[in-house]
Amino acid sequence: MAQTRSLQQRLQRIIPGARLEPLRPPGCGAVELLLLNADYPQGALDPEQVRRVMDNPLYWVFCWAAGQVLARYLLDHPRLVAGRRVLDFGCGSGVVAIAAARAGAAEVIACDNDPDALAATALNARRNGVELTLCGDFHAARGELDLIVAADVLYDRANLPWLDTLRARAAQVLVADSRVKDFAHPAYRPLGRFDSCTVPDLDESPEFRDVRLYRAG
Ligand SMILES: C[S@@+](CC[C@H](N)C(=O)[O-])C[C@H]1O[C@@H](n2cnc3c(N)ncnc32)[C@H](O)[C@@H]1O
């Protein structure tokens, strides 16, 4: 398919030798995503390749630890999404948005400010037989939102103010994160801790397997 080829080419311009392959992250039911091949080249990148990766963070080629936890949570608690209008903030590969659609949401808006992430989400939605509305700018999303979900978007502490922005926009917000474990925001209460691992495995520090889930509203 032309869209898959174009994303593959985009990936290979940044990491030569890498490719997209269908993977089923554990715990996400039958959700299948096009992700970076599990045996991706892990050797030292030359300075030019490092520059390209820094300029083009390829978040969408991974299914992040928190994304898997949040997708599982929605599949296990369909009443949170059934018949509701849901926005997935920082959708990446689309894993949480796809789980929300599968769990019966009336409409799911997949939002990411990286056009490649939106292209990957569109491909993955089709692959999983669900329809999503794509959105490149959170502030451009119109209409009432019942629930906002956000997984592994707090990797940069500069993103913490988004907790207020998301809370102001929807009746309920679910945030899962593997990086920031200590946010004490009065509107958010902890729902639990879950063990998870980014797919494909980035061989990261074990602390990033400890995913925290929070709910506001
Ligand atoms: C680490 S990835 C997580 C992707 C996915 N939620 C998952 O768990 O697999 C973070 C994503 O947030 C997106 N992002 C970061 N800041 C954003 C913003 N201001 N608006 C929309 N998306 C944003 C990035 O482009 C990236 O795709």
Side-chain angles (χ1 to χ4, degrees):
M1 193 202 288
Q3 291 97 323
T4 312
R5 237 188 346 265
S6 130
L7 263 185
Q8 289 267 23
Q9 286 165 353
R10 178 106 182 90
L11 167 65
Q12 283 165 1
R13 271 200 295 275
I14 298 163
I15 309 181
R19 60 180 198 282
L20 294 172
E21 68 179 15
L23 293 170
R24 289 193 177 196
C28 296
V31 174
E32 183 176 276
L33 303 167
L34 282 177
L35 299 172
L36 178 63
N37 53 303
D39 56 347
Y40 65 100
Q42 292 191 52
L45 300 178
D46 66 40
E48 172 56 20
Q49 288 168 341
V50 170
R51 188 192 61 74
R52 283 202 297 259
V53 172
M54 298 303 279
D55 289 351
N56 303 275
L58 294 162
Y59 296 119
W60 53 276
V61 301
F62 296 96
C63 181
W64 294 84
Q68 290 166 65
V69 167
L70 197 40
R72 179 75 262 155
Y73 195 78
L74 298 184
L75 292 168
D76 287 346
H77 301 85
R79 275 198 298 184
L80 282 169
V81 289
R84 305 179 80 195
R85 196 158 184 261
V86 179
L87 183 142
D88 178 13
F89 177 73
C91 60
S93 67
V95 59
V96 185
I98 291 167
R102 286 202 154 189
E107 182 186 2
V108 183
I109 302 162
C111 175
D112 205 293
N113 59 2
D114 176 354
D116 290 337
L118 289 182
T121 294
L123 278 176
N124 286 328
R126 200 170 316 142
R127 206 174 183 88
N128 288 277
V130 300
E131 271 190 36
L132 303 176
T133 304
L134 302 180
C135 167
D137 174 8
F138 176 78
H139 299 290
R142 296 283 160 252
E144 205 167 308
L145 297 171
D146 300 307
L147 172 70
I148 295 177
V149 288
D152 266 338
V153 294
L154 301 179
Y155 49 87
D156 183 345
R157 295 189 82 86
N159 287 347
L160 283 171
W162 278 102
L163 292 173
D164 287 312
T165 308
L166 302 182
R167 180 68 190 103
R169 188 65 177 77
Q172 269 185 355
V173 184
L174 287 171
V175 173
D177 215 90
S178 63
R179 299 316 203 244
V180 179
K181 327 247 187 209
D182 60 347
F183 75 78
H185 190 295
Y188 290 80
R189 63 187 168 83
L191 286 183
R193 292 169 66 169
F194 303 82
D195 182 59
S196 182
C197 180
T198 294
V199 171
D201 192 351
L202 279 164
D203 202 19
E204 292 186 293
S205 149
E207 74 184 274
F208 297 137
R209 298 183 63 111
D210 173 21
V211 174
R212 312 285 171 101
L213 180 62
Y214 301 86
R215 174 175 172 166

